[in-house]
Amino acid sequence: MTKLFNIANSNAITESANILKEGGLVAFPTETIYGLGADALNEVAVKNIFIAKGRPQDNPLIVHVSSQDDVEKLAHLNENAKKLIDVFFPGPLTIVLKKKDIVPDVTTAGLDSVAVRMPDHKLTLDLISKSNSFIAAPSANTSGKPSPLNAKSVEEDLYGKIDAIIDGGNTDIGIESTVLDLTSEVPLLLRPGLVTVEDIEGVVGKIDVHKSITQSKVDLDSPKSPGMKYTHYSPNANVVLVENSNVVDIAKQKGESVCLITFQKDIDVKVEKLIQVKDNRDLSSKLFDVFRECDREGIKYIIVEAPKNDGFGLAVLNRLKKASNEIC
Ligand code: TXA
Ligand code: MG
């Protein structure tokens, strides 16, 4: 049985923290997406996350902390880490550092590094601190499916497989945190997010961007972050990413059963579902939920106008490329 808690219920956090202390699994909102949490230091609990999600064992988890000071309990800090924690914690930035022995191998999938993040979400911070531990949490979806932006999406994938879900409404950002590897001298961006390359370079100087982010297809031979080599964010519908053509023409070509996602305001096209977005933030806050809605409605094609490849656009485009079956 999966318990459903509403965030407005005053006991939700205390009861959920107790479940985590006992080694259970709780899904909770963050500012990015919903996470599926377990005590990061409890090997059995962490193993259960992999089972519930159907997640490959070699894909490490992010450990969530409730204060800046806690990072040092899990990892060896360096100068770049100190500066970035100061500016971006709490927030949608995950940093990868050399791990301390306290972190079990199952949490980091056997790597000698650990990914750490402090979410910018009051409820989640309360939950982590009341659990008296650190919370390992991947996205609260079945592996390969779009990340969940609300409790309904978590239920769809994980009801009956986890102990509780905290319903805190729709998340704000809608795509996962930026992941930055700080174990090498020059930091390496492993996953783009709302904290942009420019934001990071403003604090630590020039960084490298992993080639899988700039290429359209991932190099399966040398994934720096194990998560890079798996299919991601895929709805059942075919996602068509339109970079170099006119979205309206492509929508017309595909004919019936089309969801069109576009930045354009005045367009003349008949489609089953039309999502007009203002900017990248608007798009990211809706994207994964629109994917899930289209699957519920049996839509065949999701045609998306590509954002510009700069700033936050890099992150949105990265998710779209990973989800797409066709780029034109
Ligand atoms: O916004 C987020 O980051 C959400 C919320 C719940 O915090 N979490 C999330 O977790 O997206 P997940 O497991 O879906 O993605 C974690 C990513 C994966 O690509 C994983 O391979 C990478 O971080 N990662 C974790 N530990 C790592 C490590 N030690 N070295 C390199 N990459 C790591
Ligand atoms: Mg995920």
Side-chain angles (χ1 to χ4, degrees), residues 22 33 150:
E22 288 159 14
I33 55 162
N150 46 49

PDB file of all heavy atoms in Angstrom, residues 22 33 150:
ATOM      1  N   GLU A  22      12.757   4.376   8.916  1.00  0.00           N
ATOM      2  CA  GLU A  22      12.578   2.919   8.989  1.00  0.00           C
ATOM      3  C   GLU A  22      13.028   2.211   7.714  1.00  0.00           C
ATOM      4  O   GLU A  22      12.804   1.006   7.551  1.00  0.00           O
ATOM      5  CB  GLU A  22      11.102   2.593   9.261  1.00  0.00           C
ATOM      6  CG  GLU A  22      10.686   2.922  10.688  1.00  0.00           C
ATOM      7  CD  GLU A  22       9.167   3.102  10.825  1.00  0.00           C
ATOM      8  OE1 GLU A  22       8.421   2.713   9.900  1.00  0.00           O
ATOM      9  OE2 GLU A  22       8.749   3.645  11.860  1.00  0.00           O
ATOM     10  N   ILE A  33      11.793  18.570  -9.988  1.00  0.00           N
ATOM     11  CA  ILE A  33      10.852  17.499 -10.315  1.00  0.00           C
ATOM     12  C   ILE A  33      10.603  16.730  -9.020  1.00  0.00           C
ATOM     13  O   ILE A  33      11.245  17.013  -8.018  1.00  0.00           O
ATOM     14  CB  ILE A  33      11.465  16.537 -11.365  1.00  0.00           C
ATOM     15  CG1 ILE A  33      12.811  16.010 -10.841  1.00  0.00           C
ATOM     16  CG2 ILE A  33      11.644  17.218 -12.712  1.00  0.00           C
ATOM     17  CD1 ILE A  33      13.289  14.778 -11.524  1.00  0.00           C
ATOM     18  N   ASN A 150       4.223  16.169 -10.886  1.00  0.00           N
ATOM     19  CA  ASN A 150       3.161  16.222  -9.876  1.00  0.00           C
ATOM     20  C   ASN A 150       2.919  14.819  -9.320  1.00  0.00           C
ATOM     21  O   ASN A 150       3.434  13.827  -9.845  1.00  0.00           O
ATOM     22  CB  ASN A 150       1.875  16.810 -10.465  1.00  0.00           C
ATOM     23  CG  ASN A 150       1.549  16.204 -11.815  1.00  0.00           C
ATOM     24  OD1 ASN A 150       1.559  14.989 -11.962  1.00  0.00           O
ATOM     25  ND2 ASN A 150       1.303  17.049 -12.799  1.00  0.00           N
TER      26      ASN A 150
END
